[in-house]
Amino acid sequence: MRYYLEAKKIIDCKVIIIVILILLINAVNVNKSINTFIYGDDKRFVEERTGLYHKLEGDMDNSKLNYIEKKKNELEKTVDGGNYNKEFDDSTLTGYVKSDYNLYNDIFEHIEYNKNYKKYSWDLECKSRSNYEYYSEKNNRNEAKKYKYLMSKYDNRDIKSIVDVKSISAWLDYDESDFFIFIILLILISPIFSSDRERKMACFTLTTINGKNKLCYIKLRLVIMISMIVPFVVYINNFLFYFFRTECYKLDIPLYYISKYKDTTYTGSVWQFAIWTSILKVLAFLVFAMIFAVASSLVNKNIFSISIGIVFTIIIYWLSSKINLFSFMKLFDIKEQMKKYWSTDICGIQVHGVYGGILSAGIIIVLSVILIVFFECNIKGVIKKERI
Amino acid sequence: MLEIVNSEIGKIFKNKKILLFVFFIVVYEIIQCKYEAEGNLGRISESDKAYLKGYYKEWGGKLDKKKNNSIEGYKRKIDEAYNSDDYNRLINKQITIDEYHNLVKKRKDLTKQKHIFDRFYGEYLYVSKDNSRSLIDTDVWEYILSRNNVDYLLVILLIVITIQIFDNERGSIKSVVIATVKGRRNIAISKILVATFITIFLGLLVEIVMLITLTLSGYSFDGHNVSLQSIMKFAEINRTISIRSTYIITVVYKIMGYIYVSNITMFLYALFEKSNIVFGVTILMILAPVYIYDDLTKLMHVPLPIGMMMGTYFWIDTTRIKILIPEIIMALLVVLNYYCYVNSYKGYKK
């Protein structure tokens, strides 16, 4: 009940309208992204491509590869010769000879990647093994540990089936919603503490049984809930757009099926990767939510709490490239970081970048909570801000 | 009315947080300007700068036959000195070592200037192709007129100040204000005027700080009255306009963009009366086009303030729609804000 009342203070009709408007703009942006990335080509090209993949989907076998290779070589000879019909030709698959060649070449390269991936990952494993043995002999524990980790990750990798991964790759690459989530969190969380002081209610609530400490903890929990719910709603919304508009449903394939992730150390499936990276990004948003809450507890007007929140964000963004304590910022870029081995240095110890990010996020969250409790549960501090 | 305007301005600038924010922006502008200018303009050494200054002093301005001959003659001299085969003559014992050292000493000054004179000569060749162009040091003007990054910190400050102007009277104070002789229409107009004046003041302040920083860093602003096409970057522009006029119009458009932002904030505040929503929506209206449109040139055609704040490229592009949509929307907002606030001060409603 208390959470509901506190939430009602900050989330009223006007705020809901604005949040829906922001989600609509996000939806427009997602659709625009789908249209450019996937439907940027000719509609007929996309349909023919989808049709071909439906026929090829399933286990890798030589007959499929031979068929595609044969078609590709025939078209390559025609295109290289230069003597072909460059105008629209309905007898071709996509309407244009060059376009047909591009289609078959695309699919051929994908199948070649699938076919050669086992050898590629085996080479990576061998390199890691030899490096591990070398650094073990030299007693370099950090490097030996790193290569032992890589050995275990690249072991036993193979791509056994053909799956159209273009839309899955596009969905994983889509990161533009982060800005809209940031704005929604700024609108919802900035007035969490300062609104009470702006309306001269803070002193009044201090005299109540549930005022001071209890109220402060309720508001903190509300901040955590909002910073977890909003990003998940946006990410699920994005996924649903991709799911219904594209062929984005075979998510149980390993991540390395997508060529951009050929060097990734993540061994789970695509859907597990999506959930895991979303959780880490939610953690990064939680850090910013806590920073906005700290800014809110410093001042007695909502507008100043927003401006101070933005100033803190700019300072942290600048510091993140200089100090490892702020390496949680890289969690926003985690999909890019996970395309290869990612490590960070904490007090001279090399750890996986994800652990470094989680540790730095944890430290900042704990510090923020301590600051908020100090400012909000200290009677003299609260009264002073109201200038009574 | 003047007294009300003065007291409203006083209310804003007596607020220490706002003064601190203004100070922070001035310092940030100085640091950013110095850092960017050194990156764009400071790539040549002090001695090369001195040579360049000398060239522009002697041959700068409109070109004529005398200057052309002089420049070509100097180029020949430098090329001769640079490509001389004194060393080969020394090897072949055609000259003594003392004679060789004397020749090297004589030509040293000319050979040092080779790469900087080649740069100057390139500009001379560009200017000589068209009579309307003049030979001037275009680096500083090219830097100033090519700045198309929006000053987001200034935009945030303007939104904060605009909200603060209208947020000062809430609740019981507003009903007291309405009961006064100078309440109602006068106070509503004064607040709108104050928001506009402060926007213009801050927009000009940022430009003046930039100009002072560049002047104190040793860059000169000569040649401001020559045609814009004297700068290579603007060679394709089909307008007969001087560099000075271009800069003035750019600043006017930037300030109009800031006034547009201020009016959007006022309008949203009249609708929602909640500072967090107004702030979030205004920032969204400014930044959303940057995310939605991949191509920055398309931002010039969006009827929102972002294009106006981007500087010269907004108005100098002749493909922009001549109906002036952002300007019309801004004017409509000014009128709307007047009616919204006059009405809100007429009869106080909760």
PDB file of all heavy atoms in Angstrom, chain A residues 214-229:
ATOM      1  N   LYS A 214      11.729   4.872   7.449  1.00  0.00           N
ATOM      2  CA  LYS A 214      10.866   3.929   6.717  1.00  0.00           C
ATOM      3  C   LYS A 214      10.506   4.499   5.358  1.00  0.00           C
ATOM      4  O   LYS A 214      10.547   3.803   4.338  1.00  0.00           O
ATOM      5  CB  LYS A 214       9.587   3.648   7.516  1.00  0.00           C
ATOM      6  CG  LYS A 214       9.802   2.689   8.657  1.00  0.00           C
ATOM      7  CD  LYS A 214       8.496   2.298   9.314  1.00  0.00           C
ATOM      8  CE  LYS A 214       8.807   1.481  10.563  1.00  0.00           C
ATOM      9  NZ  LYS A 214       7.637   1.312  11.422  1.00  0.00           N
ATOM     10  N   LEU A 215      10.161   5.785   5.334  1.00  0.00           N
ATOM     11  CA  LEU A 215       9.780   6.422   4.070  1.00  0.00           C
ATOM     12  C   LEU A 215      10.954   6.427   3.090  1.00  0.00           C
ATOM     13  O   LEU A 215      10.796   6.188   1.892  1.00  0.00           O
ATOM     14  CB  LEU A 215       9.301   7.842   4.340  1.00  0.00           C
ATOM     15  CG  LEU A 215       8.619   8.555   3.183  1.00  0.00           C
ATOM     16  CD1 LEU A 215       7.357   7.816   2.787  1.00  0.00           C
ATOM     17  CD2 LEU A 215       8.277   9.983   3.568  1.00  0.00           C
ATOM     18  N   CYS A 216      12.129   6.698   3.649  1.00  0.00           N
ATOM     19  CA  CYS A 216      13.333   6.742   2.814  1.00  0.00           C
ATOM     20  C   CYS A 216      13.569   5.376   2.155  1.00  0.00           C
ATOM     21  O   CYS A 216      13.842   5.294   0.956  1.00  0.00           O
ATOM     22  CB  CYS A 216      14.528   7.157   3.663  1.00  0.00           C
ATOM     23  SG  CYS A 216      16.071   7.190   2.752  1.00  0.00           S
ATOM     24  N   TYR A 217      13.412   4.292   2.942  1.00  0.00           N
ATOM     25  CA  TYR A 217      13.659   2.951   2.380  1.00  0.00           C
ATOM     26  C   TYR A 217      12.586   2.573   1.361  1.00  0.00           C
ATOM     27  O   TYR A 217      12.866   1.923   0.354  1.00  0.00           O
ATOM     28  CB  TYR A 217      13.749   1.907   3.494  1.00  0.00           C
ATOM     29  CG  TYR A 217      14.930   2.129   4.412  1.00  0.00           C
ATOM     30  CD1 TYR A 217      14.803   2.034   5.790  1.00  0.00           C
ATOM     31  CD2 TYR A 217      16.174   2.465   3.900  1.00  0.00           C
ATOM     32  CE1 TYR A 217      15.882   2.262   6.636  1.00  0.00           C
ATOM     33  CE2 TYR A 217      17.252   2.705   4.724  1.00  0.00           C
ATOM     34  CZ  TYR A 217      17.103   2.605   6.090  1.00  0.00           C
ATOM     35  OH  TYR A 217      18.171   2.854   6.911  1.00  0.00           O
ATOM     36  N   ILE A 218      11.349   3.019   1.616  1.00  0.00           N
ATOM     37  CA  ILE A 218      10.274   2.740   0.640  1.00  0.00           C
ATOM     38  C   ILE A 218      10.599   3.426  -0.685  1.00  0.00           C
ATOM     39  O   ILE A 218      10.472   2.837  -1.765  1.00  0.00           O
ATOM     40  CB  ILE A 218       8.912   3.231   1.175  1.00  0.00           C
ATOM     41  CG1 ILE A 218       8.457   2.317   2.309  1.00  0.00           C
ATOM     42  CG2 ILE A 218       7.866   3.272   0.081  1.00  0.00           C
ATOM     43  CD1 ILE A 218       7.280   2.856   3.078  1.00  0.00           C
ATOM     44  N   LYS A 219      11.032   4.684  -0.592  1.00  0.00           N
ATOM     45  CA  LYS A 219      11.351   5.428  -1.825  1.00  0.00           C
ATOM     46  C   LYS A 219      12.524   4.778  -2.554  1.00  0.00           C
ATOM     47  O   LYS A 219      12.533   4.685  -3.785  1.00  0.00           O
ATOM     48  CB  LYS A 219      11.684   6.884  -1.504  1.00  0.00           C
ATOM     49  CG  LYS A 219      10.465   7.699  -1.102  1.00  0.00           C
ATOM     50  CD  LYS A 219      10.828   9.145  -0.866  1.00  0.00           C
ATOM     51  CE  LYS A 219       9.694   9.883  -0.223  1.00  0.00           C
ATOM     52  NZ  LYS A 219       9.176  11.000  -0.973  1.00  0.00           N
ATOM     53  N   LEU A 220      13.508   4.304  -1.779  1.00  0.00           N
ATOM     54  CA  LEU A 220      14.673   3.653  -2.421  1.00  0.00           C
ATOM     55  C   LEU A 220      14.229   2.395  -3.158  1.00  0.00           C
ATOM     56  O   LEU A 220      14.667   2.126  -4.275  1.00  0.00           O
ATOM     57  CB  LEU A 220      15.739   3.301  -1.371  1.00  0.00           C
ATOM     58  CG  LEU A 220      16.692   4.442  -1.028  1.00  0.00           C
ATOM     59  CD1 LEU A 220      17.577   4.039   0.141  1.00  0.00           C
ATOM     60  CD2 LEU A 220      17.556   4.810  -2.215  1.00  0.00           C
ATOM     61  N   ARG A 221      13.357   1.633  -2.498  1.00  0.00           N
ATOM     62  CA  ARG A 221      12.873   0.403  -3.150  1.00  0.00           C
ATOM     63  C   ARG A 221      12.054   0.741  -4.391  1.00  0.00           C
ATOM     64  O   ARG A 221      12.100   0.030  -5.392  1.00  0.00           O
ATOM     65  CB  ARG A 221      12.040  -0.423  -2.175  1.00  0.00           C
ATOM     66  CG  ARG A 221      12.911  -1.312  -1.298  1.00  0.00           C
ATOM     67  CD  ARG A 221      12.104  -2.074  -0.282  1.00  0.00           C
ATOM     68  NE  ARG A 221      12.684  -1.870   1.033  1.00  0.00           N
ATOM     69  CZ  ARG A 221      12.025  -1.941   2.178  1.00  0.00           C
ATOM     70  NH1 ARG A 221      10.741  -2.192   2.197  1.00  0.00           N
ATOM     71  NH2 ARG A 221      12.635  -1.749   3.315  1.00  0.00           N
ATOM     72  N   LEU A 222      11.335   1.853  -4.326  1.00  0.00           N
ATOM     73  CA  LEU A 222      10.563   2.287  -5.496  1.00  0.00           C
ATOM     74  C   LEU A 222      11.491   2.651  -6.649  1.00  0.00           C
ATOM     75  O   LEU A 222      11.220   2.336  -7.810  1.00  0.00           O
ATOM     76  CB  LEU A 222       9.699   3.487  -5.110  1.00  0.00           C
ATOM     77  CG  LEU A 222       8.644   3.919  -6.119  1.00  0.00           C
ATOM     78  CD1 LEU A 222       7.636   2.817  -6.332  1.00  0.00           C
ATOM     79  CD2 LEU A 222       7.926   5.171  -5.625  1.00  0.00           C
ATOM     80  N   VAL A 223      12.605   3.306  -6.316  1.00  0.00           N
ATOM     81  CA  VAL A 223      13.595   3.671  -7.350  1.00  0.00           C
ATOM     82  C   VAL A 223      14.105   2.394  -8.030  1.00  0.00           C
ATOM     83  O   VAL A 223      14.196   2.320  -9.260  1.00  0.00           O
ATOM     84  CB  VAL A 223      14.773   4.462  -6.730  1.00  0.00           C
ATOM     85  CG1 VAL A 223      15.961   4.528  -7.672  1.00  0.00           C
ATOM     86  CG2 VAL A 223      14.344   5.853  -6.343  1.00  0.00           C
ATOM     87  N   ILE A 224      14.404   1.384  -7.196  1.00  0.00           N
ATOM     88  CA  ILE A 224      14.927   0.120  -7.750  1.00  0.00           C
ATOM     89  C   ILE A 224      13.869  -0.527  -8.641  1.00  0.00           C
ATOM     90  O   ILE A 224      14.166  -0.988  -9.748  1.00  0.00           O
ATOM     91  CB  ILE A 224      15.349  -0.842  -6.608  1.00  0.00           C
ATOM     92  CG1 ILE A 224      16.547  -0.259  -5.851  1.00  0.00           C
ATOM     93  CG2 ILE A 224      15.703  -2.219  -7.157  1.00  0.00           C
ATOM     94  CD1 ILE A 224      16.896  -0.963  -4.573  1.00  0.00           C
ATOM     95  N   MET A 225      12.607  -0.522  -8.176  1.00  0.00           N
ATOM     96  CA  MET A 225      11.540  -1.158  -8.970  1.00  0.00           C
ATOM     97  C   MET A 225      11.360  -0.450 -10.309  1.00  0.00           C
ATOM     98  O   MET A 225      11.276  -1.091 -11.355  1.00  0.00           O
ATOM     99  CB  MET A 225      10.215  -1.110  -8.193  1.00  0.00           C
ATOM    100  CG  MET A 225      10.094  -2.244  -7.193  1.00  0.00           C
ATOM    101  SD  MET A 225       8.816  -2.004  -5.967  1.00  0.00           S
ATOM    102  CE  MET A 225       7.358  -1.773  -6.904  1.00  0.00           C
ATOM    103  N   ILE A 226      11.321   0.886 -10.279  1.00  0.00           N
ATOM    104  CA  ILE A 226      11.121   1.641 -11.525  1.00  0.00           C
ATOM    105  C   ILE A 226      12.277   1.396 -12.487  1.00  0.00           C
ATOM    106  O   ILE A 226      12.068   1.164 -13.685  1.00  0.00           O
ATOM    107  CB  ILE A 226      10.996   3.156 -11.240  1.00  0.00           C
ATOM    108  CG1 ILE A 226       9.704   3.437 -10.485  1.00  0.00           C
ATOM    109  CG2 ILE A 226      11.020   3.965 -12.529  1.00  0.00           C
ATOM    110  CD1 ILE A 226       9.592   4.863  -9.993  1.00  0.00           C
ATOM    111  N   SER A 227      13.510   1.413 -11.944  1.00  0.00           N
ATOM    112  CA  SER A 227      14.675   1.269 -12.835  1.00  0.00           C
ATOM    113  C   SER A 227      14.792  -0.143 -13.379  1.00  0.00           C
ATOM    114  O   SER A 227      15.565  -0.369 -14.310  1.00  0.00           O
ATOM    115  CB  SER A 227      15.956   1.666 -12.106  1.00  0.00           C
ATOM    116  OG  SER A 227      16.141   0.832 -11.013  1.00  0.00           O
ATOM    117  N   MET A 228      14.046  -1.107 -12.792  1.00  0.00           N
ATOM    118  CA  MET A 228      14.063  -2.469 -13.345  1.00  0.00           C
ATOM    119  C   MET A 228      12.901  -2.667 -14.316  1.00  0.00           C
ATOM    120  O   MET A 228      13.054  -3.292 -15.355  1.00  0.00           O
ATOM    121  CB  MET A 228      13.971  -3.495 -12.221  1.00  0.00           C
ATOM    122  CG  MET A 228      15.247  -3.554 -11.408  1.00  0.00           C
ATOM    123  SD  MET A 228      15.072  -4.546  -9.952  1.00  0.00           S
ATOM    124  CE  MET A 228      15.647  -6.082 -10.535  1.00  0.00           C
ATOM    125  N   ILE A 229      11.734  -2.108 -13.969  1.00  0.00           N
ATOM    126  CA  ILE A 229      10.551  -2.360 -14.800  1.00  0.00           C
ATOM    127  C   ILE A 229      10.653  -1.641 -16.150  1.00  0.00           C
ATOM    128  O   ILE A 229      10.373  -2.229 -17.196  1.00  0.00           O
ATOM    129  CB  ILE A 229       9.273  -1.929 -14.052  1.00  0.00           C
ATOM    130  CG1 ILE A 229       9.050  -2.863 -12.857  1.00  0.00           C
ATOM    131  CG2 ILE A 229       8.063  -1.960 -14.977  1.00  0.00           C
ATOM    132  CD1 ILE A 229       7.956  -2.414 -11.928  1.00  0.00           C
TER     133      ILE A 229
END
